[in-house]
Each structure stands twice: as C-alpha cells, then as structure tokens.
Amino acid sequence: MTQTTYRLGDRTVQRLGYGAMQLAGPGVFGPPKDPAAARAVLQAAVAAGVNHIDTSDFYGPHVTNQLIRAALHPYPDDLVIVTKIGGRRGADGAWLPAFGRAELVAAVHDNLRNLGLEQLEVVNLRAMFDVHGPAEGSLEEPLTVLAELREQGLVRHVGISNVTPRQVEEARRIVPIACVQNHYNLVHRLDDALIDTLAAASIAYVPFFPLGGFSPLQSTTLSGVAQRLGATPMQVAIAWLLQRAPNMLVIPGTSSLAHLRENLAAAELELPADALAALEGLGR
C-alpha cells in the first residue's frame, strides 16, 4: 500500500494536496467568475482531509491568497499553506522576475497580509532565469534574503521551484531546503535522478503539471490504461506520481468540486504491475 503521508519541513502532510493556481481568473490573472464556488472548493478540500495547499501571491495577483483566507481562516491547526515568491505579474498578465531584495521582502509581507498569517510555513523561491522552465544561474542572493527572513521568524521553512540539480546543491549549502517544486510527470521526467537524491535526504519533491506536455500518442496510451482500471487519465497520472517515490507530494488543482473529488479519489488507486509497465514506457 502506498504511504499516504510525508514530512514537509517539520510537519506531516497528506501526500495528495491541493494547488490553488486554477482558482484565479483565466491565465491565472484577475478574479474567478464565481468566487463563492472557488471558496467552496477550498472548503471541500480541507473537509476531505487535505492539509497541504499550494498557492502564491502572484496568482491573480493576490486573488488566490485572498480566497484562501476568506474560505479557511482561522486555519485548522494541521493545515500547511505553501506559497512562492520570485515572480510578479505585469499589467498585461505577463510573468516577470522579481528577484531583488526589496521585491522578495515585499512579497513575503504581501503573502502574510493576504493569507492573514504572522509566519509563512513554507516559502518556495521560484527561479525565473527562464519563465518557462529551469535555467542555470546563481540563487545565492535571493536565498540569502529568504534565509534572513527565516531568521526573523517571518518564514518557517524554505523551498525552491523551477530549478536545476546544480541549483538544488547550491541552495542546500545556503539554507535548509524543505521541498523542491518542478515540472514532472509520466512523460516529463528530467528530474528522475534528482527525485531519488532528495528522497535519500528526506526532502519533499512537489511535481506540477501532472498532465502537461503529453503527445497525442502518449495521451491515448494513458487513456487506455485509465479505461481498463475504470479511472480517469488524471487519476492514473496522480496515482503514478504517488507510487513513483515516497517523497512525492502531489498538488493537482481544479476549480470544480466534481474534479476535486475525482482527484482526491486517486489516493485510493493502486496501479497494478501491467499498468505500471505500460505507463513506464511513456517516459522513455
């Protein structure tokens, strides 16, 4: 049976969490069409036992954090809210780097204010050397700022996002790293070796885009496996991630109550050997 919990910083969380990104408007910009429905999804997730929510103040911007606060504050004692900094949104919705000291400090205070917290449990620094994926570049200066905010008690734990293995090594020399958050799924498997390295060090790995980057042929294979198991492709993709490594914390996002229930049901889906073999072939 797949292990259902893992350590995130010094807290224990359910390995299947919730990503709040899709609660903002189209393109993760502006408010949702139905704020009440967005709040209902958050409340349903926590009621179902989710205790790890991933967000950022640059979703919206500010929108998802304000929705989380409206829906869930005062927060349950076991709820771990993870946010990220390092980016900002242009007036046109563009994703822009925000790596300067003043920008990082302001971002932490924005997250604290909009979430209604005195301390952020985990803050991921998102590397923005390339907006679309990991690219080399030193994280020493921004991580030093985050380490100082940690010393001040505004941040409890530090994570990193959109990073290369070399940047992970650099980060671990600067500050204790609670988690690494990168694009990873059945077909996008550049981090295979990194995941195993982090597992050996008891560091959580948080993949995003569980269905991102599939070719039509790969999608057909996934759909075929899902159909045989009486599941949805998303459920199979989530179940595969949960079975891939014990340190994997999965944060599928949705603005739909029905999809939320489907996603959470994936925690109960054990993939048999023949299904795993078929799915492994997709990553080669």
Short mmCIF file of all heavy atoms in Angstrom, two decimals, residues 12-81:
data_model
loop_
_atom_site.label_atom_id
_atom_site.label_comp_id
_atom_site.label_asym_id
_atom_site.label_seq_id
_atom_site.Cartn_x
_atom_site.Cartn_y
_atom_site.Cartn_z
N THR A 12 3.80 16.96 9.21
CA THR A 12 3.43 15.80 8.42
C THR A 12 2.16 16.15 7.64
O THR A 12 1.18 16.63 8.22
CB THR A 12 3.15 14.58 9.33
OG1 THR A 12 4.36 14.26 10.02
CG2 THR A 12 2.71 13.38 8.51
N VAL A 13 2.20 15.93 6.32
CA VAL A 13 1.06 16.28 5.48
C VAL A 13 0.61 15.06 4.67
O VAL A 13 1.37 14.13 4.44
CB VAL A 13 1.38 17.44 4.51
CG1 VAL A 13 1.70 18.71 5.27
CG2 VAL A 13 2.52 17.07 3.55
N GLN A 14 -0.65 15.09 4.26
CA GLN A 14 -1.13 14.11 3.29
C GLN A 14 -0.38 14.30 1.98
O GLN A 14 -0.17 15.44 1.54
CB GLN A 14 -2.64 14.29 3.05
CG GLN A 14 -3.51 13.98 4.26
CD GLN A 14 -3.46 12.52 4.65
OE1 GLN A 14 -3.39 11.62 3.80
NE2 GLN A 14 -3.48 12.26 5.95
N ARG A 15 0.03 13.22 1.35
CA ARG A 15 0.82 13.33 0.13
C ARG A 15 0.00 13.87 -1.05
O ARG A 15 0.57 14.38 -2.01
CB ARG A 15 1.46 11.99 -0.22
CG ARG A 15 2.55 11.58 0.77
CD ARG A 15 3.19 10.26 0.39
NE ARG A 15 3.74 10.35 -0.95
CZ ARG A 15 3.74 9.34 -1.83
NH1 ARG A 15 3.19 8.18 -1.50
NH2 ARG A 15 4.26 9.48 -3.01
N LEU A 16 -1.31 13.75 -0.98
CA LEU A 16 -2.16 14.34 -2.01
C LEU A 16 -2.74 15.63 -1.46
O LEU A 16 -3.58 15.62 -0.56
CB LEU A 16 -3.27 13.36 -2.42
CG LEU A 16 -4.13 13.77 -3.61
CD1 LEU A 16 -3.30 14.21 -4.80
CD2 LEU A 16 -5.04 12.63 -4.03
N GLY A 17 -2.24 16.76 -1.97
CA GLY A 17 -2.67 18.07 -1.53
C GLY A 17 -3.51 18.76 -2.58
O GLY A 17 -4.15 18.11 -3.41
N TYR A 18 -3.48 20.09 -2.55
CA TYR A 18 -4.31 20.88 -3.47
C TYR A 18 -3.53 22.11 -3.93
O TYR A 18 -2.97 22.84 -3.11
CB TYR A 18 -5.61 21.31 -2.78
CG TYR A 18 -6.45 22.23 -3.65
CD1 TYR A 18 -7.21 21.71 -4.70
CD2 TYR A 18 -6.44 23.60 -3.45
CE1 TYR A 18 -7.96 22.56 -5.52
CE2 TYR A 18 -7.19 24.45 -4.26
CZ TYR A 18 -7.94 23.92 -5.29
OH TYR A 18 -8.65 24.75 -6.11
N GLY A 19 -3.51 22.34 -5.22
CA GLY A 19 -2.89 23.53 -5.80
C GLY A 19 -3.94 24.57 -6.14
O GLY A 19 -4.89 24.28 -6.86
N ALA A 20 -3.78 25.79 -5.63
CA ALA A 20 -4.82 26.82 -5.74
C ALA A 20 -4.73 27.66 -7.01
O ALA A 20 -5.56 28.54 -7.23
CB ALA A 20 -4.75 27.74 -4.52
N MET A 21 -3.74 27.40 -7.85
CA MET A 21 -3.49 28.25 -9.02
C MET A 21 -4.73 28.46 -9.90
O MET A 21 -4.98 29.56 -10.37
CB MET A 21 -2.36 27.61 -9.84
CG MET A 21 -1.88 28.39 -11.04
SD MET A 21 -0.42 27.53 -11.72
CE MET A 21 -0.11 28.52 -13.16
N GLN A 22 -5.51 27.40 -10.09
CA GLN A 22 -6.65 27.48 -11.02
C GLN A 22 -7.84 28.24 -10.44
O GLN A 22 -8.84 28.43 -11.14
CB GLN A 22 -7.08 26.08 -11.45
CG GLN A 22 -6.07 25.38 -12.34
CD GLN A 22 -6.59 24.06 -12.89
OE1 GLN A 22 -7.78 23.89 -13.12
NE2 GLN A 22 -5.68 23.11 -13.08
N LEU A 23 -7.74 28.69 -9.20
CA LEU A 23 -8.85 29.43 -8.62
C LEU A 23 -8.91 30.88 -9.10
O LEU A 23 -9.95 31.54 -8.96
CB LEU A 23 -8.77 29.42 -7.09
CG LEU A 23 -8.98 28.06 -6.42
CD1 LEU A 23 -8.92 28.21 -4.92
CD2 LEU A 23 -10.29 27.42 -6.86
N ALA A 24 -7.81 31.40 -9.65
CA ALA A 24 -7.82 32.76 -10.20
C ALA A 24 -8.54 32.74 -11.56
O ALA A 24 -9.01 31.70 -12.03
CB ALA A 24 -6.40 33.28 -10.34
N GLY A 25 -8.62 33.90 -12.19
CA GLY A 25 -9.28 34.02 -13.48
C GLY A 25 -8.49 33.38 -14.60
O GLY A 25 -7.43 32.78 -14.37
N PRO A 26 -8.93 33.50 -15.85
CA PRO A 26 -8.24 32.92 -17.00
C PRO A 26 -6.78 33.39 -17.07
O PRO A 26 -6.50 34.57 -16.84
CB PRO A 26 -9.04 33.43 -18.19
CG PRO A 26 -10.40 33.73 -17.65
CD PRO A 26 -10.17 34.20 -16.25
N GLY A 27 -5.87 32.45 -17.35
CA GLY A 27 -4.46 32.80 -17.38
C GLY A 27 -3.89 33.10 -16.01
O GLY A 27 -2.85 33.73 -15.88
N VAL A 28 -4.56 32.63 -14.96
CA VAL A 28 -4.17 32.87 -13.56
C VAL A 28 -4.08 34.38 -13.31
O VAL A 28 -3.19 34.88 -12.62
CB VAL A 28 -2.82 32.18 -13.21
CG1 VAL A 28 -2.70 31.99 -11.71
CG2 VAL A 28 -2.70 30.83 -13.91
N PHE A 29 -5.01 35.12 -13.90
CA PHE A 29 -4.98 36.58 -13.82
C PHE A 29 -6.38 37.09 -13.56
O PHE A 29 -7.34 36.69 -14.23
CB PHE A 29 -4.44 37.15 -15.14
CG PHE A 29 -3.97 38.58 -15.04
CD1 PHE A 29 -2.89 38.92 -14.24
CD2 PHE A 29 -4.61 39.58 -15.76
CE1 PHE A 29 -2.45 40.23 -14.16
CE2 PHE A 29 -4.17 40.90 -15.69
CZ PHE A 29 -3.09 41.22 -14.89
N GLY A 30 -6.50 37.96 -12.55
CA GLY A 30 -7.81 38.51 -12.21
C GLY A 30 -8.63 37.54 -11.38
O GLY A 30 -8.20 36.42 -11.08
N PRO A 31 -9.83 37.96 -10.99
CA PRO A 31 -10.67 37.14 -10.10
C PRO A 31 -11.39 36.03 -10.87
O PRO A 31 -11.56 36.11 -12.08
CB PRO A 31 -11.67 38.16 -9.55
CG PRO A 31 -11.79 39.18 -10.64
CD PRO A 31 -10.44 39.28 -11.29
N PRO A 32 -11.85 35.00 -10.15
CA PRO A 32 -12.64 33.95 -10.80
C PRO A 32 -14.03 34.47 -11.13
O PRO A 32 -14.51 35.45 -10.55
CB PRO A 32 -12.70 32.85 -9.74
CG PRO A 32 -12.60 33.58 -8.44
CD PRO A 32 -11.70 34.76 -8.70
N LYS A 33 -14.67 33.77 -12.04
CA LYS A 33 -16.04 34.14 -12.42
C LYS A 33 -16.99 33.98 -11.24
O LYS A 33 -17.92 34.76 -11.07
CB LYS A 33 -16.48 33.24 -13.59
CG LYS A 33 -17.79 33.63 -14.26
CD LYS A 33 -17.99 32.85 -15.56
CE LYS A 33 -18.03 31.35 -15.31
NZ LYS A 33 -18.20 30.58 -16.56
N ASP A 34 -16.72 32.96 -10.39
CA ASP A 34 -17.61 32.65 -9.27
C ASP A 34 -16.79 32.48 -7.99
O ASP A 34 -16.40 31.36 -7.65
CB ASP A 34 -18.41 31.38 -9.59
CG ASP A 34 -19.49 31.10 -8.56
OD1 ASP A 34 -19.45 31.70 -7.46
OD2 ASP A 34 -20.37 30.27 -8.84
N PRO A 35 -16.51 33.57 -7.27
CA PRO A 35 -15.70 33.46 -6.05
C PRO A 35 -16.29 32.51 -5.01
O PRO A 35 -15.55 31.81 -4.30
CB PRO A 35 -15.66 34.90 -5.52
CG PRO A 35 -15.90 35.76 -6.73
CD PRO A 35 -16.86 34.98 -7.58
N ALA A 36 -17.61 32.46 -4.90
CA ALA A 36 -18.24 31.56 -3.92
C ALA A 36 -17.93 30.10 -4.24
O ALA A 36 -17.67 29.29 -3.34
CB ALA A 36 -19.75 31.80 -3.88
N ALA A 37 -17.94 29.76 -5.54
CA ALA A 37 -17.61 28.40 -5.95
C ALA A 37 -16.15 28.08 -5.63
O ALA A 37 -15.81 26.96 -5.21
CB ALA A 37 -17.88 28.21 -7.43
N ALA A 38 -15.27 29.06 -5.83
CA ALA A 38 -13.85 28.86 -5.53
C ALA A 38 -13.65 28.60 -4.03
O ALA A 38 -12.90 27.70 -3.64
CB ALA A 38 -13.05 30.08 -5.97
N ARG A 39 -14.33 29.38 -3.21
CA ARG A 39 -14.23 29.17 -1.76
C ARG A 39 -14.78 27.79 -1.37
O ARG A 39 -14.23 27.12 -0.49
CB ARG A 39 -14.97 30.28 -1.01
CG ARG A 39 -14.33 31.65 -1.17
CD ARG A 39 -14.90 32.67 -0.19
NE ARG A 39 -16.33 32.92 -0.40
CZ ARG A 39 -16.81 33.86 -1.21
NH1 ARG A 39 -15.99 34.62 -1.92
NH2 ARG A 39 -18.12 34.04 -1.32
N ALA A 40 -15.85 27.36 -2.04
CA ALA A 40 -16.45 26.06 -1.74
C ALA A 40 -15.47 24.92 -2.04
O ALA A 40 -15.41 23.92 -1.31
CB ALA A 40 -17.74 25.87 -2.53
N VAL A 41 -14.69 25.05 -3.12
CA VAL A 41 -13.70 24.02 -3.46
C VAL A 41 -12.63 23.93 -2.37
O VAL A 41 -12.25 22.83 -1.94
CB VAL A 41 -13.06 24.32 -4.84
CG1 VAL A 41 -11.84 23.43 -5.08
CG2 VAL A 41 -14.07 24.10 -5.96
N LEU A 42 -12.15 25.07 -1.91
CA LEU A 42 -11.15 25.08 -0.83
C LEU A 42 -11.70 24.43 0.44
O LEU A 42 -11.03 23.62 1.08
CB LEU A 42 -10.74 26.53 -0.54
CG LEU A 42 -9.83 27.18 -1.57
CD1 LEU A 42 -9.87 28.70 -1.43
CD2 LEU A 42 -8.39 26.67 -1.42
N GLN A 43 -12.93 24.78 0.78
CA GLN A 43 -13.55 24.21 2.00
C GLN A 43 -13.76 22.71 1.86
O GLN A 43 -13.52 21.95 2.81
CB GLN A 43 -14.86 24.95 2.28
CG GLN A 43 -14.65 26.38 2.73
CD GLN A 43 -15.89 27.24 2.62
OE1 GLN A 43 -16.87 26.87 1.98
NE2 GLN A 43 -15.85 28.43 3.23
N ALA A 44 -14.14 22.27 0.66
CA ALA A 44 -14.36 20.83 0.43
C ALA A 44 -13.03 20.07 0.50
O ALA A 44 -12.99 18.94 1.02
CB ALA A 44 -15.03 20.61 -0.92
N ALA A 45 -11.98 20.67 -0.02
CA ALA A 45 -10.67 20.01 0.02
C ALA A 45 -10.23 19.77 1.46
O ALA A 45 -9.83 18.66 1.83
CB ALA A 45 -9.64 20.84 -0.72
N VAL A 46 -10.33 20.80 2.29
CA VAL A 46 -9.91 20.67 3.69
C VAL A 46 -10.84 19.72 4.44
O VAL A 46 -10.38 18.90 5.25
CB VAL A 46 -9.86 22.07 4.36
CG1 VAL A 46 -9.65 21.95 5.86
CG2 VAL A 46 -8.73 22.89 3.73
N ALA A 47 -12.14 19.78 4.14
CA ALA A 47 -13.09 18.86 4.79
C ALA A 47 -12.78 17.41 4.44
O ALA A 47 -13.04 16.50 5.24
CB ALA A 47 -14.52 19.22 4.38
N ALA A 48 -12.20 17.19 3.24
CA ALA A 48 -11.88 15.83 2.81
C ALA A 48 -10.53 15.35 3.36
O ALA A 48 -10.12 14.22 3.08
CB ALA A 48 -11.86 15.76 1.29
N GLY A 49 -9.85 16.20 4.12
CA GLY A 49 -8.60 15.78 4.75
C GLY A 49 -7.34 16.37 4.14
O GLY A 49 -6.23 16.08 4.62
N VAL A 50 -7.48 17.19 3.09
CA VAL A 50 -6.30 17.84 2.52
C VAL A 50 -5.72 18.80 3.55
O VAL A 50 -6.44 19.62 4.12
CB VAL A 50 -6.67 18.61 1.23
CG1 VAL A 50 -5.54 19.53 0.79
CG2 VAL A 50 -7.03 17.64 0.11
N ASN A 51 -4.41 18.69 3.81
CA ASN A 51 -3.78 19.61 4.77
C ASN A 51 -2.50 20.24 4.21
O ASN A 51 -1.65 20.70 4.95
CB ASN A 51 -3.53 18.94 6.12
CG ASN A 51 -2.60 17.75 6.02
OD1 ASN A 51 -2.14 17.37 4.94
ND2 ASN A 51 -2.30 17.15 7.16
N HIS A 52 -2.39 20.25 2.88
CA HIS A 52 -1.27 20.90 2.18
C HIS A 52 -1.87 21.65 0.99
O HIS A 52 -2.38 21.04 0.06
CB HIS A 52 -0.26 19.85 1.72
CG HIS A 52 0.79 20.36 0.77
ND1 HIS A 52 1.40 19.53 -0.15
CD2 HIS A 52 1.32 21.60 0.58
CE1 HIS A 52 2.27 20.24 -0.85
NE2 HIS A 52 2.23 21.49 -0.43
N ILE A 53 -1.85 22.98 1.07
CA ILE A 53 -2.37 23.82 -0.01
C ILE A 53 -1.22 24.64 -0.56
O ILE A 53 -0.47 25.28 0.17
CB ILE A 53 -3.50 24.75 0.48
CG1 ILE A 53 -4.74 23.91 0.83
CG2 ILE A 53 -3.85 25.79 -0.58
CD1 ILE A 53 -5.90 24.73 1.36
N ASP A 54 -1.07 24.62 -1.88
CA ASP A 54 -0.02 25.36 -2.56
C ASP A 54 -0.62 26.59 -3.23
O ASP A 54 -1.64 26.51 -3.91
CB ASP A 54 0.64 24.47 -3.62
CG ASP A 54 1.76 25.19 -4.34
OD1 ASP A 54 2.88 25.23 -3.79
OD2 ASP A 54 1.52 25.76 -5.43
N THR A 55 0.03 27.75 -3.02
CA THR A 55 -0.50 29.00 -3.55
C THR A 55 0.64 29.95 -3.86
O THR A 55 1.82 29.60 -3.73
CB THR A 55 -1.49 29.62 -2.54
OG1 THR A 55 -2.08 30.79 -3.12
CG2 THR A 55 -0.81 30.00 -1.24
N SER A 56 0.31 31.17 -4.27
CA SER A 56 1.28 32.25 -4.40
C SER A 56 0.53 33.56 -4.48
O SER A 56 -0.57 33.62 -5.03
CB SER A 56 2.16 32.09 -5.64
OG SER A 56 2.95 33.26 -5.81
N ASP A 57 1.15 34.62 -3.99
CA ASP A 57 0.51 35.92 -4.08
C ASP A 57 0.57 36.47 -5.51
O ASP A 57 -0.13 37.41 -5.84
CB ASP A 57 1.16 36.91 -3.10
CG ASP A 57 0.14 37.90 -2.55
OD1 ASP A 57 -0.91 37.44 -2.08
OD2 ASP A 57 0.40 39.11 -2.61
N PHE A 58 1.40 35.85 -6.39
CA PHE A 58 1.36 36.30 -7.78
C PHE A 58 0.35 35.53 -8.63
O PHE A 58 0.27 35.72 -9.83
CB PHE A 58 2.75 36.38 -8.44
CG PHE A 58 3.59 35.13 -8.46
CD1 PHE A 58 3.26 34.04 -9.23
CD2 PHE A 58 4.77 35.09 -7.73
CE1 PHE A 58 4.07 32.91 -9.26
CE2 PHE A 58 5.60 33.97 -7.77
CZ PHE A 58 5.24 32.87 -8.54
N TYR A 59 -0.48 34.69 -8.01
CA TYR A 59 -1.64 34.12 -8.69
C TYR A 59 -2.78 35.13 -8.56
O TYR A 59 -3.34 35.31 -7.48
CB TYR A 59 -2.07 32.79 -8.06
CG TYR A 59 -1.08 31.66 -8.18
CD1 TYR A 59 -1.18 30.53 -7.39
CD2 TYR A 59 -0.03 31.71 -9.09
CE1 TYR A 59 -0.29 29.47 -7.50
CE2 TYR A 59 0.88 30.67 -9.20
CZ TYR A 59 0.74 29.55 -8.40
OH TYR A 59 1.63 28.50 -8.50
N GLY A 60 -3.08 35.78 -9.64
CA GLY A 60 -4.19 36.75 -9.61
C GLY A 60 -3.82 38.13 -10.12
O GLY A 60 -4.44 38.60 -11.03
N PRO A 61 -2.85 38.85 -9.57
CA PRO A 61 -2.17 38.59 -8.29
C PRO A 61 -3.09 38.82 -7.09
O PRO A 61 -4.11 39.48 -7.22
CB PRO A 61 -1.02 39.61 -8.30
CG PRO A 61 -1.50 40.71 -9.18
CD PRO A 61 -2.39 40.08 -10.21
N HIS A 62 -2.70 38.25 -5.97
CA HIS A 62 -3.37 38.35 -4.66
C HIS A 62 -4.67 37.55 -4.56
O HIS A 62 -5.14 37.28 -3.46
CB HIS A 62 -3.67 39.82 -4.28
CG HIS A 62 -2.54 40.77 -4.53
ND1 HIS A 62 -1.28 40.55 -4.03
CD2 HIS A 62 -2.48 41.92 -5.25
CE1 HIS A 62 -0.47 41.54 -4.42
NE2 HIS A 62 -1.18 42.38 -5.16
N VAL A 63 -5.24 37.16 -5.71
CA VAL A 63 -6.59 36.58 -5.72
C VAL A 63 -6.67 35.28 -4.94
O VAL A 63 -7.54 35.11 -4.07
CB VAL A 63 -7.07 36.37 -7.17
CG1 VAL A 63 -8.35 35.53 -7.21
CG2 VAL A 63 -7.29 37.71 -7.87
N THR A 64 -5.77 34.32 -5.24
CA THR A 64 -5.93 33.01 -4.58
C THR A 64 -5.68 33.11 -3.08
O THR A 64 -6.37 32.46 -2.29
CB THR A 64 -5.00 31.94 -5.20
OG1 THR A 64 -3.64 32.34 -5.06
CG2 THR A 64 -5.32 31.73 -6.66
N ASN A 65 -4.72 33.91 -2.67
CA ASN A 65 -4.47 34.05 -1.23
C ASN A 65 -5.66 34.67 -0.51
O ASN A 65 -6.02 34.25 0.60
CB ASN A 65 -3.21 34.90 -0.99
CG ASN A 65 -1.93 34.10 -1.17
OD1 ASN A 65 -1.97 32.89 -1.40
ND2 ASN A 65 -0.80 34.77 -1.07
N GLN A 66 -6.28 35.65 -1.13
CA GLN A 66 -7.46 36.27 -0.52
C GLN A 66 -8.63 35.29 -0.46
O GLN A 66 -9.39 35.27 0.52
CB GLN A 66 -7.82 37.55 -1.28
CG GLN A 66 -6.79 38.65 -1.08
CD GLN A 66 -6.96 39.82 -2.02
OE1 GLN A 66 -7.81 39.81 -2.92
NE2 GLN A 66 -6.14 40.85 -1.86
N LEU A 67 -8.77 34.43 -1.47
CA LEU A 67 -9.81 33.41 -1.46
C LEU A 67 -9.55 32.38 -0.35
O LEU A 67 -10.47 31.96 0.36
CB LEU A 67 -9.88 32.69 -2.81
CG LEU A 67 -10.51 33.47 -3.96
CD1 LEU A 67 -10.23 32.76 -5.28
CD2 LEU A 67 -12.03 33.61 -3.76
N ILE A 68 -8.28 31.98 -0.20
CA ILE A 68 -7.92 31.01 0.84
C ILE A 68 -8.25 31.58 2.22
O ILE A 68 -8.83 30.90 3.07
CB ILE A 68 -6.42 30.65 0.73
CG1 ILE A 68 -6.18 29.78 -0.50
CG2 ILE A 68 -5.94 29.92 1.99
CD1 ILE A 68 -4.72 29.61 -0.88
N ARG A 69 -7.90 32.84 2.43
CA ARG A 69 -8.18 33.46 3.73
C ARG A 69 -9.70 33.54 3.97
O ARG A 69 -10.18 33.20 5.06
CB ARG A 69 -7.57 34.85 3.78
CG ARG A 69 -7.81 35.55 5.12
CD ARG A 69 -7.11 36.89 5.19
NE ARG A 69 -7.28 37.49 6.52
CZ ARG A 69 -6.63 38.57 6.92
NH1 ARG A 69 -5.78 39.18 6.12
NH2 ARG A 69 -6.85 39.06 8.13
N ALA A 70 -10.45 33.96 2.95
CA ALA A 70 -11.91 34.10 3.11
C ALA A 70 -12.57 32.76 3.38
O ALA A 70 -13.53 32.66 4.15
CB ALA A 70 -12.51 34.75 1.86
N ALA A 71 -12.04 31.70 2.75
CA ALA A 71 -12.67 30.38 2.86
C ALA A 71 -12.27 29.63 4.13
O ALA A 71 -13.08 28.89 4.69
CB ALA A 71 -12.31 29.53 1.64
N LEU A 72 -11.03 29.82 4.60
CA LEU A 72 -10.48 28.89 5.59
C LEU A 72 -9.98 29.52 6.88
O LEU A 72 -9.71 28.82 7.85
CB LEU A 72 -9.32 28.09 4.95
CG LEU A 72 -9.68 27.27 3.70
CD1 LEU A 72 -8.42 26.66 3.11
CD2 LEU A 72 -10.70 26.19 4.04
N HIS A 73 -9.82 30.82 6.92
CA HIS A 73 -9.30 31.47 8.13
C HIS A 73 -10.41 31.62 9.18
O HIS A 73 -11.52 31.99 8.83
CB HIS A 73 -8.75 32.86 7.76
CG HIS A 73 -7.85 33.45 8.80
ND1 HIS A 73 -8.33 34.10 9.91
CD2 HIS A 73 -6.49 33.49 8.89
CE1 HIS A 73 -7.32 34.53 10.64
NE2 HIS A 73 -6.18 34.17 10.05
N PRO A 74 -10.15 31.30 10.46
CA PRO A 74 -8.89 30.82 11.05
C PRO A 74 -8.59 29.38 10.60
O PRO A 74 -9.49 28.54 10.54
CB PRO A 74 -9.14 30.90 12.56
CG PRO A 74 -10.63 30.81 12.70
CD PRO A 74 -11.21 31.46 11.48
N TYR A 75 -7.33 29.12 10.31
CA TYR A 75 -6.95 27.86 9.67
C TYR A 75 -6.91 26.69 10.66
O TYR A 75 -6.54 26.88 11.83
CB TYR A 75 -5.57 28.01 9.03
CG TYR A 75 -5.51 29.12 8.00
CD1 TYR A 75 -4.75 30.26 8.20
CD2 TYR A 75 -6.25 29.03 6.81
CE1 TYR A 75 -4.69 31.28 7.26
CE2 TYR A 75 -6.21 30.05 5.87
CZ TYR A 75 -5.43 31.17 6.10
OH TYR A 75 -5.40 32.17 5.17
N PRO A 76 -7.25 25.48 10.18
CA PRO A 76 -7.07 24.30 11.03
C PRO A 76 -5.60 24.15 11.45
O PRO A 76 -4.69 24.53 10.70
CB PRO A 76 -7.47 23.14 10.10
CG PRO A 76 -8.29 23.76 9.02
CD PRO A 76 -7.79 25.16 8.84
N ASP A 77 -5.37 23.62 12.63
CA ASP A 77 -4.02 23.51 13.17
C ASP A 77 -3.09 22.69 12.27
O ASP A 77 -1.88 22.94 12.24
CB ASP A 77 -4.04 22.87 14.57
CG ASP A 77 -4.64 23.81 15.61
OD1 ASP A 77 -4.71 25.03 15.34
OD2 ASP A 77 -5.04 23.32 16.68
N ASP A 78 -3.65 21.69 11.55
CA ASP A 78 -2.78 20.81 10.77
C ASP A 78 -2.59 21.29 9.32
O ASP A 78 -1.91 20.63 8.53
CB ASP A 78 -3.33 19.38 10.77
CG ASP A 78 -4.63 19.24 9.98
OD1 ASP A 78 -5.33 20.26 9.80
OD2 ASP A 78 -4.93 18.11 9.52
N LEU A 79 -3.18 22.44 8.96
CA LEU A 79 -3.10 22.90 7.57
C LEU A 79 -1.76 23.59 7.30
O LEU A 79 -1.38 24.52 8.00
CB LEU A 79 -4.25 23.87 7.26
CG LEU A 79 -4.28 24.42 5.82
CD1 LEU A 79 -4.46 23.31 4.81
CD2 LEU A 79 -5.38 25.47 5.68
N VAL A 80 -1.05 23.11 6.28
CA VAL A 80 0.21 23.71 5.86
C VAL A 80 -0.03 24.43 4.54
O VAL A 80 -0.37 23.80 3.53
CB VAL A 80 1.31 22.64 5.70
CG1 VAL A 80 2.60 23.27 5.16
CG2 VAL A 80 1.58 21.95 7.03
N ILE A 81 0.12 25.76 4.55
CA ILE A 81 -0.02 26.56 3.34
C ILE A 81 1.38 26.90 2.84
O ILE A 81 2.18 27.49 3.56
CB ILE A 81 -0.83 27.84 3.61
CG1 ILE A 81 -2.25 27.48 4.07
CG2 ILE A 81 -0.88 28.72 2.35
CD1 ILE A 81 -3.09 28.69 4.47
#
